[in-house]
Every structure is written in structure tokens, then in C-alpha cells.
Amino acid sequence: MNSPLPAPRSTAWRRALAVAFSLAILALALHALANEFNEHGYRAIRRAFSALGTGQIALTLVLGLSSYACLIGFDAIGLRRSPVQVSTERVAITAFLAHAVGQTLGFAALTGGAVRLRGYGGAGLGLADIGQVVLMSTLGFVFGAWVLLGLAFVLEPGAAALALPVSAQAVRLLGIVALLGFVLLLPLAGNSGRTLRWRTHALWLPDRRTITAVTALSVLELALASAAFYVLLPDDTSTGYVGFIGLYLVAVVAGLVSSVPAGLGVFEWSLLKLLPDVAPAALLAAAMIYRVTYYVVPLVLSTLMALATGLRTPLHTGGAASMRLAWHTVRPWLPQIIALAVFAVGAALVIDGTLPTPRHVVRNASLPVLETSHLLGSLGGVVLLLIGQGLQRRSHAAWMLALVMCAGVPVPVWLRGGHVTIVVAALITAGALWASRREFYRQGALLDEAWSWPWLRNLGLVLVATVWLLFFVYSHVEYQHELWWQFALSGNAPRALRALLVVSMVVAVFGLARLLHSTRTPLPGAGPATLEELAGVLAGAQDTQACLVLTGDKAVLRDEARQGFVMMQRYGGSLIAMGDPVGPPDTARELIWRFREEADRLGLRPVFYQVGETYWQTYLDQGLTLVKLGEEAMVPLHGFTLDGRERAELRQAWNRGKRAGLGFRVAPVEEVDALLPTLQAISQQWLEDKAGDEKGFSLGSFDPAYLRRFPVALVMAGNQIVAFANLWQAPAGHELSVDLMRHVPDAPKGTMDFLFIELFLWGSAHGFERFSLGMAPLSGMSQHRLAGRWNRFANLVARHGERFYGFSGLRRFKSKFQPVWRTRYLAAPGGMHLPAALLDATRLISMEPRRSQ
């Protein structure tokens, strides 16, 4: 009797377009960079890199870390208004992690905001307080860049004039206007802040004092960050430090607009164009050191933090309060930090596989060892790239594979002459993986993990960069087919080609395996012995929907006292429970949490399909979102008769059935086995007439083992059965319903109306108080113009999908029985998980039951 819902439109193409856009931007930027060099560009960059002194690199590192210290200050300013006191240690750790992740992955407001949500949420801060912190960081960058650009344009306009098609005077005038605009902003904000509105858009400005504080801090932070790059430039650079700040900010903004993580490629190309007097090789060598110190080093420190806090032995001692605080702050983000570190190690291994082998290794190496270690290093790198997503989702299988790879790849990397920092990073990451092993507990195969668009984008960026680097490094080598089969100690280009081939083949095989592997592998359904054990629980059920467990296509989750159960099944990225848990109220609430834990263990989103209003508070306590699916029609049976004016239409329908020679009886369970051949023939005719297939999960199917468990209501035309329905009974709740309803194609008109009316009379005579006609999907939705998005979407589907499903027709059919309507909900995580959960539930119901087992 429960009807499936239509699936929402997928937005996958939009995400794919965004990924393709990022890859295209990176490819164009790298191509533009390559055009700045001749065929020996790689050698020139290596010479420029060797020219950098240790003191320059050390100074860059100090300036970069000082910049990060200023970034932590934005969080402290944002937390001033919070009513909750957050310890200094928590602020420092959370802010550092947020900025390290945000700077590396891009979209710092979102990625860094997610880190803060867990870090500060554990201290009792709400979304509004955390949003204030994110806003301070964003406004700080905007105001600081605003002021610094203005100062740079005023004090050293010549640097910008060289890169822009305007005169130095015009640049200085632009800087003066920018500074005056910021000065005018301060009185506009006032002492208590102000909201600026334009049409439907609104921007909240903090008070004058806060703006001044975040701007001063941002100016210092950006000055330090730009200085970290400037000290790496050649001594003969004509652009002064003040002028360079403005150009640096323009390049940073270009990287942000490009949507490429960390502005990779775009930032470097922008600086090349803005600093035409600096040799391209020297600038790219400086950019490499800058990225290592400003992006990689903070990531390594985050991994070391994960390693240190993962070694929890000191936490049990009495004087380890700071360590305990660090552990509780870092712990929610351990999988994300380690996944990012593993991905970075994998990217370094793959990229290192395209670079020439050092000469000292070539002189002392054995050719088979060198060739084998080169391929093994690249193979380990691509494996780490592919399993990073599984680590983020706490997959135990991904953890085991990552640990083996990180512990094993240092040997082939050392044998092929790879950089020592890669070896050290791999060993540190292996240590962090081992120390945090208890955090990776989710079961399931790696191929069962759902696709992640950010992961696909980052994987694509690494592959695009690797291919470009291969052609850039060996641009002086003329391509020939024979290169693939040349094995020599000095054959760097052939080795790099073969390594790229291995990487490409592994990615292709993994992708095909993911496409061919069903991510909908179902959980094993409850067997006959389990179903027999549930008889006592079903006898106390209040809702006939509990009888769905007897279809045998759903797994069963029990409580420890064996007083209740949840029937559930897996599809896609969701673990879907059918209805509320069955059992006493306290047991049901316990089972809701146990189901959530089971979904977490399997790495799936928890979804409760067609739940009522009894346990709504427990679902909300879990952070789930409740959306209305429709309304269930409940016909009151107490004292039900066909007498009276209000029953005239039903009385007429019943009389028409009698005049057509229809009769009714309920066959007890003992008779069902003998009736099965006849019922199966009727069912087959009905399916052929409807040109449909059997459904599952929320609906029963014609399964002899299932039907033998219930009495069957029969409609007879003489001695011939023309329609049947199996009866669901919940005696404890005094509720009656039917599931499988089938009739022959030539049954008299009004046969199903006659069947329902007779069932109402039969149920009333046997002490039942209500009859469930099942749910009318998308029924009873709010029509108000201010209704929520889901209501507006559901009304749109119901209105335009009428010819495909008949939403209003089903509602009208059930309404003629004068029911009382009871709301049914979907409880699932909010945001983008909500349409995905609804899509998984709809597809699960639409699957032919025997294929879902």
C-alpha cells in the first residue's frame, strides 16, 4: 500500500562542469607557463633553485609561519562576542588546522569553516558564533588586501604601471581612491556595525573597532606572506617590496577566482606577467620554495599534530590537561588531516616519477633495480591518491592499504633517488596512521565508497600537472615509439613515460571497477529463523507497516534485550530504515541510535523512510532533517457501517458489486498454500496488464513464502477468484491493512472498491479500530508562497508529474473512503545528502526484490 516517490533531478552535471572548469584553468595556466621557456626550461629552474641560499629558505619559512600566527588572530577576534569562553589552546589548534586545510584545498571559507564547526562546536559554540569567526577571516582578507593595494599603488605606482595599461599617475590616483574609500567605510560602520542592503542582498559590517583590528592584523599577515615570497626573488629585481605587495595580492586574487586549489599554476603565471623583469626560471624556483614552506610545511605540522595527539598514553596522567585538550580538538579532524597528508604523499610520488634520476644514483644503480623501484614508487603514489577519499570516510580497508604503502614506498623511492623529504613525509604519515588506527573503523570495500567530486577534481589536477611536467621536463627529447621500450640507466624520459603509463592504467582500471561494481550491494535479508524470532515483537506492534519485515528482503537490527527491531537495507550511499523502529517506545529510541551507529560503522548516511511523528525529537537530536513525504489515509473502523447519508457513495459501490455477483471471504493462513497457483496466475495477469515489475522494500511482492504468513482476502465472482489481497494485522494497535492487491484484467468494474468496503466491515466486526490505505505521496504539502524549498519542489513535481504518476488521482481515490490523514516523513542528513537519500530510497523501492537480495 505504500507508494514510492519520484526521484529529484540530479545536479551531477553541474558538479562535473565545475570540475572540468578547474582542470581547464589549470591546463591553460600550465601551458602558458611552458611557453615562457625554451626546451631546456627544467634545467634552468634547477639552476635557479640551486642558487637559492639556505638563509633565504629559512627566512621564508619563518615569515610564512609568522603569517599563520596572524591568521590565528582572526579567530580570536571573531570569538570576542561569543558567550562561550574558548580556551587559548583550542583556538590556536583549531585556527591553525582550519587555515592549513583551507589554504591547501581552496574555498577557505567552506573548508576552513567545516574544521571550525567541529573544533569550536565541541566547545559549545553554535553555528552563528562559528559563522562570525569565518566572517572575520573573510573580511580581514578583504580589508587588508584593500588597504595594502591602496598603499602599494600610492607609494610605488611604477611596479603596477609596468604590468597594467595605465600610467603611474593613474595607478597612484587609484590607490588614493581606494584608501579614501576605506576611510569612509569606518564612520559608515559606526560603533555597533551596520547591514548594507542592495535589492535582495545584504552584507553585515562589524563595528568600527573590529574593522580596524582585523584590518591591522590582515595588513601584517599579508605583508608577512608577501615578504616570504619576496625574499626568494633575485637581488637584481627592480620592483621594491612595497610595489611587490600589490602585485602579489593581484596574483593571489587571480588564484582565488580560478577555483583551482591554492591557485596552482594561475598564481605563478600571474606573477610572471606582473614581474616581466624577473627571469621565469628564478620566479618559478621561488614559487616552488614558497609553496613548500607556506602550504606543505603547515600540512606536515598538522600531520605531526595528529601523530602526537594520536599517541594518547599521556592522556591518562593527571597533569596532561593540555594534551587532552589537544586530543579532543584534533580528534574529529584526524581522518581529514591524514587523508590530506596521504593524498599529498601520493601526489609527490607520482610527480617525482616524472623527474630525472640523479646522476649519482645512475652511476651506482643496477638497471633492473632502478626500473623496478621507479615503477613501484609511482604505483604506490597513485594508490595513495585513489584511497584518500576512503580515509576521509574512516574506512578500515583504506587505512590498512595506506599504512602498508606509506611504510613500504620509502624503499623504492630511496632506490630510485627520490627526494629525501618524500621519504620522511611518507614515514611521518605512516606513524600518524598507526597512532590514529582506532579512528578508522568503518567496514566495507573500497569500491563501495560513493564518488566525491572534490576528490575527483583534486585527482584530476594532480594528473594534469603530472602530464604537463613530463612534457615540460623532457621537451628537448623528440618523441619516438621506441622510447617505450628503451631500458637504460640514463633513460630518464622512457622511465617517466612508463611510470605515467602505470599511473594511467591504475586510474583507468580503478575507474572501470568503480563503474562496473555495484555500490548497492545489499545487506543479507533476514532468514526464516530470524523471522520466526520476531513473531513476539510483531504481536505487540502498533503499526501494520511492521509486517514488511516478513518480505525477507531487509536486514534486521535488534536491541540487546530482543524486544524490538529496525528493518533496513543498503542502497548507494545510504542505509535506509523502513519506518520507525518496532517495539516499546524506550526500545525504539535506543534502536534509532543503534541504527545511526551502524550507518556510521558502514560509512553510510542514515535514512529513515516513512516515519511517523512519535519519535521526531530523537531524529532531530541526531541532527537529521525531517521532510514531509506525504500523508497516510487511515479509515476509522470503530462502529463502521454503510448506513447514513455520509456513507451513501460507499453503499452504492457495495450494492453495485453485489448486483455484479461479487462475493467476499477471508481465507485463513491454512488455506493459502492451496490457493497459491490461482493467486499467482492472477498476479501474473495483473503485472502484464500494468506492464510493470514487482517492487520491493516498502512494498511486498508475490513470494509464496511471504504470502503463506498472512490470511488472504478474496473477491469471488461465482466460484472464480477475481481479486485478492493479503491482510496485515497489528492486533496490539488494533490496525488492519493490506499489501499485495491484484485482480484479473476482466474483473467487474468497482471490484477494488467492493474489496475495500468488505475489508472495512470485516475489520470492524473483528475489533479493529482503523484501516490503513497507505500513503499518498506528495500529498498535503503546504501551498503557501513562503513555504520551504522542499514543499515548493514537491508541489512542482506533483503538479507537472501528474500524467506520469497520478498524485492527485491517488489522493482522490483514498479520500472517498473518508479517511483521517496521518503525516509520513523522511528523516535524513540535510543539505546535499537529502536529495541523495531520497534518490537512494526511490531506487531501492523500484528494484525487483530478487535482484536486491
Side-chain angles (χ1 to χ4, degrees):
M1 289 293 291
N2 294 315
S3 304
L5 283 168
R9 288 186 61 188
S10 173
T11 59
W13 66 271
R14 296 181 183 177
R15 299 182 182 181
L17 189 62
V19 171
F21 178 77
S22 296
L23 296 179
I25 291 294
L26 176 63
L28 290 173
L30 294 177
H31 178 70
L33 284 175
N35 289 337
E36 300 291 331
F37 296 87
N38 58 27
E39 62 181 18
H40 296 288
Y42 176 69
R43 294 180 183 177
I45 293 175
R46 290 201 63 174
R47 285 196 296 269
F49 183 81
S50 301
L52 292 171
T54 305
Q56 287 177 282
I57 298 175
L59 181 57
T60 294
L61 179 60
V62 171
L63 290 170
L65 292 179
S66 300
S67 171
Y68 268 84
C70 293
L71 290 172
I72 295 173
F74 289 121
D75 286 44
I77 294 175
L79 292 170
R80 282 179 180 175
R81 296 188 176 187
S82 171
V84 179
Q85 281 294 111
V86 183
S87 65
T88 304
E89 292 88 348
R90 182 181 288 272
V91 173
I93 294 172
T94 302
F96 181 81
L97 293 179
H99 288 289
V101 173
Q103 298 277 15
T104 305
L105 296 181
F107 303 103
L110 296 177
T111 53
V115 175
R116 293 182 179 94
L117 183 62
R118 291 196 178 187
Y120 296 139
L125 267 68
L127 287 175
D129 297 321
I130 297 172
Q132 185 88 4
V133 176
V134 176
L135 179 63
M136 285 302 110
S137 295
T138 305
L139 290 179
F141 172 79
V142 172
F143 292 146
W146 185 348
V147 171
L148 275 178
L149 272 174
L151 289 173
F153 287 176
V154 169
L155 298 177
E156 196 172 336
L162 289 175
L164 299 175
V166 293
S167 64
Q169 291 78 7
V171 172
R172 178 174 278 117
L173 180 61
L174 184 62
I176 293 173
V177 172
L179 291 175
L180 286 176
F182 179 78
V183 171
L184 292 175
L185 179 69
L186 295 177
L188 181 65
N191 294 324
S192 57
R194 177 169 297 183
T195 300
L196 304 179
R197 300 185 184 277
W198 183 73
R199 294 185 179 179
T200 59
H201 304 282
L203 173 64
W204 178 79
L205 292 177
D207 59 272
R208 185 187 306 126
R209 178 186 173 188
T210 302
I211 290 179
T212 304
V214 296
T215 303
L217 187 62
S218 179
V219 167
L220 178 60
E221 185 271 320
L222 291 173
L224 290 169
S226 57
F229 196 109
Y230 186 75
V231 298
L232 297 171
L233 295 178
D235 294 334
D236 58 354
T237 302
S238 61
T239 303
Y241 170 60
V242 175
F244 174 77
I245 291 177
L247 304 181
Y248 170 86
L249 291 174
V250 172
V252 168
V253 173
L256 291 174
V257 173
S258 71
S259 77
V260 178
L264 183 64
V266 179
F267 174 76
E268 288 81 358
W269 179 82
S270 300
L271 283 178
L272 277 177
K273 292 301 179 183
L274 294 171
L275 295 168
D277 61 325
V278 179
L283 195 144
L284 285 188
M288 288 173 56
I289 296 297
Y290 174 76
R291 287 196 175 276
V292 169
T293 57
Y294 199 77
Y295 294 98
V296 177
V297 169
L299 180 59
V300 172
L301 291 177
S302 300
T303 308
L304 288 172
M305 196 180 300
L307 173 59
T309 55
L311 298 172
R312 282 159 287 179
T313 304
L315 298 181
H316 301 291
T317 63
S322 298
M323 193 65 181
R324 281 196 297 273
L325 177 61
W327 164 245
H328 291 303
T329 304
V330 174
R331 183 179 184 183
W333 279 96
L334 275 177
Q336 285 76 11
I337 295 170
I338 292 176
L340 188 58
V342 166
F343 191 90
V345 171
L349 288 168
V350 170
I351 291 174
D352 187 62
T354 64
L355 301 179
T357 305
R359 293 180 180 177
H360 70 276
V361 175
V362 172
R363 288 194 298 265
N364 302 312
S366 165
L367 181 59
V369 172
L370 182 60
E371 292 287 348
T372 303
S373 61
H374 202 89
L375 292 179
L376 287 177
S378 298
L379 178 62
V382 70
V383 170
L384 292 177
L385 289 176
L386 295 174
I387 64 176
Q389 177 182 230
L391 288 170
Q392 187 175 353
R393 295 174 177 173
R394 300 175 183 265
S395 167
H396 184 71
W399 172 83
M400 290 184 63
L401 191 54
L403 181 62
V404 170
M405 287 295 172
C406 287
V409 292
V411 175
V413 171
W414 174 70
L415 290 174
R416 77 180 188 185
H419 204 280
V420 65
T421 55
I422 300 178
V423 174
V424 173
L427 292 175
I428 291 175
T429 305
L433 281 164
W434 176 254
S436 55
R437 57 192 177 277
R438 294 181 181 86
E439 303 302 313
F440 300 92
Y441 54 84
R442 287 177 174 169
Q443 303 300 313
L446 287 174
L447 294 178
D448 288 340
E449 295 288 344
W451 292 101
S452 166
W453 288 106
W455 171 76
L456 285 175
R457 179 201 62 185
N458 295 336
L459 177 62
L461 292 175
V462 171
L463 295 180
V464 168
T466 302
V467 172
W468 172 84
L469 186 62
L470 173 69
F471 286 97
F472 178 74
V473 171
Y474 303 105
S475 57
H476 61 286
V477 179
E478 183 179 355
Y479 175 77
Q480 298 175 351
H481 294 301
E482 290 77 11
L483 285 174
W484 295 98
W485 317 113
Q486 289 181 6
F487 295 90
L489 290 174
S490 59
N492 291 314
R495 263 195 301 275
L497 280 173
R498 288 189 289 271
L500 181 61
L501 177 63
V502 168
V503 170
S504 303
M505 289 179 61
V506 172
V507 172
V509 170
F510 183 81
L512 287 174
R514 289 289 305 274
L515 290 174
L516 297 176
H517 176 79
S518 172
T519 60
R520 304 153 192 147
T521 305
L523 301 173
T530 302
L531 296 181
E532 291 299 328
E533 292 177 4
L534 297 178
V537 180
L538 288 173
Q542 302 288 319
D543 193 329
T544 52
Q545 190 171 252
C547 296
L548 270 171
V549 72
L550 299 175
T551 59
D553 63 347
K554 290 171 279 293
V556 172
L557 180 67
R558 303 292 304 274
D559 64 304
E560 293 183 0
R562 321 297 279 182
Q563 294 181 348
F565 66 88
V566 175
M567 44 185 162
M568 61 187 185
Q569 192 48 270
R570 166 188 179 156
Y571 192 94
S574 303
L575 184 63
I576 307 171
M578 183 61 224
D580 292 306
V582 180
D586 290 342
T587 300
R589 293 186 182 92
E590 176 192 344
L591 282 168
I592 291 173
W593 284 104
R594 291 199 66 178
F595 175 83
R596 179 65 184 265
E597 293 167 356
E598 182 68 9
D600 182 69
R601 186 184 70 84
L602 295 175
L604 302 171
R605 70 176 68 87
V607 180
F608 293 87
Y609 183 74
Q610 285 197 29
V611 298
E613 299 177 344
T614 307
Y615 305 111
W616 64 268
Q617 189 169 2
T618 307
Y619 296 126
L620 293 181
D621 287 344
Q622 291 190 356
L624 302 181
T625 299
L626 288 171
V627 294
K628 187 175 182 179
L629 294 176
E631 293 183 333
E632 181 183 10
M634 305 296 297
V635 179
L637 297 183
H638 183 70
F640 182 88
T641 68
L642 296 179
D643 299 332
R645 180 181 303 175
E646 68 278 3
R647 304 290 190 186
E649 186 177 348
L650 297 184
R651 188 166 59 250
Q652 292 170 9
W654 184 79
N655 287 329
R656 281 195 298 270
K658 284 296 184 180
R659 287 195 297 270
L662 297 180
F664 171 85
R665 78 180 184 92
V666 174
V669 173
E670 295 79 15
E671 297 182 19
V672 172
D673 198 56
L675 294 171
L676 283 176
T678 303
L679 302 183
Q680 186 170 16
I682 296 173
S683 177
Q684 190 61 36
Q685 293 178 54
W686 185 84
L687 288 172
E688 293 173 357
D689 183 61
K690 301 296 182 181
D693 296 319
E694 297 279 15
K695 305 299 182 183
F697 192 66
S698 68
L699 301 165
S701 62
F702 194 95
D703 178 10
Y706 169 62
L707 289 177
R708 288 189 185 101
R709 297 180 179 275
F710 306 100
V712 176
L714 306 173
V715 177
M716 315 290 295
N719 294 324
Q720 180 185 2
I721 301 175
V722 295
F724 72 91
N726 63 313
L727 291 183
W728 282 353
Q729 302 177 64
H734 305 286
E735 184 176 301
L736 182 67
S737 185
V738 293
D739 176 34
L740 204 66
M741 296 180 296
R742 306 283 162 90
H743 61 81
V744 296
D746 57 350
K749 185 178 180 180
T751 296
M752 300 313 291
D753 288 350
F754 179 81
L755 172 62
F756 278 120
I757 295 169
E758 286 286 359
L759 284 170
F760 298 158
L761 295 169
W762 185 90
S764 178
H766 286 79
F768 291 95
E769 295 182 357
R770 60 184 182 274
F771 188 99
S772 173
L773 291 171
M775 186 181 72
L778 307 185
S779 174
M781 297 292 177
S782 175
Q783 303 288 332
H784 196 279
R785 65 182 181 86
L786 297 179
R789 293 179 181 176
W790 167 252
N791 279 269
R792 296 198 300 271
F793 171 76
N795 283 320
L796 181 69
V797 172
R799 187 163 57 251
H800 295 284
E802 182 65 28
R803 58 178 176 170
F804 301 106
Y805 187 85
F807 296 98
S808 60
L810 183 59
R811 171 91 180 194
R812 284 194 302 270
F813 173 79
K814 296 182 178 183
S815 294
K816 67 184 177 183
F817 299 111
Q818 301 173 2
V820 176
W821 295 96
R822 184 168 67 179
T823 304
R824 289 289 184 177
Y825 298 94
L826 176 83
M832 293 307 298
H833 286 287
L834 196 58
L838 183 58
L839 187 62
D840 285 345
T842 304
R843 288 178 172 174
L844 176 60
I845 294 167
S846 300
M847 286 183 67
E848 200 278 324
R850 290 172 181 79
R851 290 193 296 111
S852 66
Q853 296 184 41

